[in-house]
């Protein structure tokens, strides 16, 4: 098997598409009201699936986390420590929810966390001073 990409199930497709496109700079491959939306970032396929459409296709219901949750993270790298701080300020000003302000960790990484409109965690970090 080969990894083609990864995806998340979303409640509000247009809001999530606008966030990933306009705030994080993902390239959109579909219309924002589609059931499945294909976004690409740095050559990685990122899929958004509308929850209700997937449940209808699978003929079953699923449970979903509410609020900001820690089921997984999407990790984004930037060029250096200053870029971590700048990117954090930029994405928060565009609507990302701040979770962890930029900090330098004992293992040498400068990192911070924000959340998308449905509470999925996004890490922004760098190991380069």
């Amino acid at each position: 098997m080969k990894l083609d990409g990864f995806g998340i199930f979303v409640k509000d497709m247009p809001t999530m598409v606008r966030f990933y496109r306009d705030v994080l700079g993902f390239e959109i491959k579909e219309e924002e009201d589609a059931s499945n939306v294909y976004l690409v970032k740095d050559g990685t396929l990122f899929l958004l699936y509308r929850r209700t459409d997937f449940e209808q296709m699978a003929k079953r219901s699923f449970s979903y986390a509410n609020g900001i949750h820690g089921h997984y993270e999407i990790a984004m790298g930037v060029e250096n420590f200053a870029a971590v701080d700048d990117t954090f300020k930029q994405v928060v000003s565009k609507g990302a929810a701040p979770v962890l302000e930029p900090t330098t960790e004992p293992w040498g990484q400068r990192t911070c966390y924000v959340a998308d409109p449905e509470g999925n965690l996004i890490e922004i970090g760098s190991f380069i001073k």
Side-chain angles (χ1 to χ4, degrees):
M1 286 188 287
K2 151 181 121 68
L3 179 64
D4 283 334
F6 64 97
I8 59 174
F9 297 100
V10 303
K11 185 181 354 179
D12 183 343
M13 185 66 79
T15 296
M16 293 292 278
V17 166
R18 286 189 296 271
F19 178 84
Y20 282 94
R21 181 190 61 211
D22 302 341
V23 176
L24 297 183
F26 283 61
E27 177 187 342
I28 186 169
K29 293 291 189 184
E30 303 288 333
E31 296 299 320
E32 67 182 47
D33 62 348
S35 292
N36 297 323
V37 173
Y38 297 81
L39 304 160
V40 176
K41 181 71 170 173
D42 303 318
T44 300
L45 179 61
F46 183 76
L47 309 140
L48 300 177
Y49 301 105
R50 191 184 318 270
R51 292 175 182 177
T52 53
D53 293 340
F54 182 72
E55 289 181 348
Q56 184 178 12
M57 183 177 74
K59 296 180 177 46
R60 62 184 293 181
S61 295
F62 297 93
S63 61
Y64 301 98
N66 292 310
I68 295 175
H69 53 85
H71 290 279
Y72 64 87
E73 71 171 47
I74 299 166
M76 309 285 288
V78 294
E79 57 273 8
N80 56 42
F81 283 18
V84 172
D85 297 8
D86 293 342
T87 304
F88 178 81
K89 289 176 192 169
Q90 180 184 32
V91 299
V92 167
S93 75
K94 291 181 176 181
V99 174
L100 173 68
E101 299 259 341
T103 184
T104 303
E105 298 295 346
W107 53 86
Q109 180 188 27
R110 183 114 176 118
T111 190
C112 63
Y113 281 84
V114 297
D116 71 19
E118 294 190 6
N120 302 297
L121 292 176
I122 300 157
E123 178 185 19
I124 302 162
S126 180
F127 284 95
I128 300 170
K129 290 183 182 183

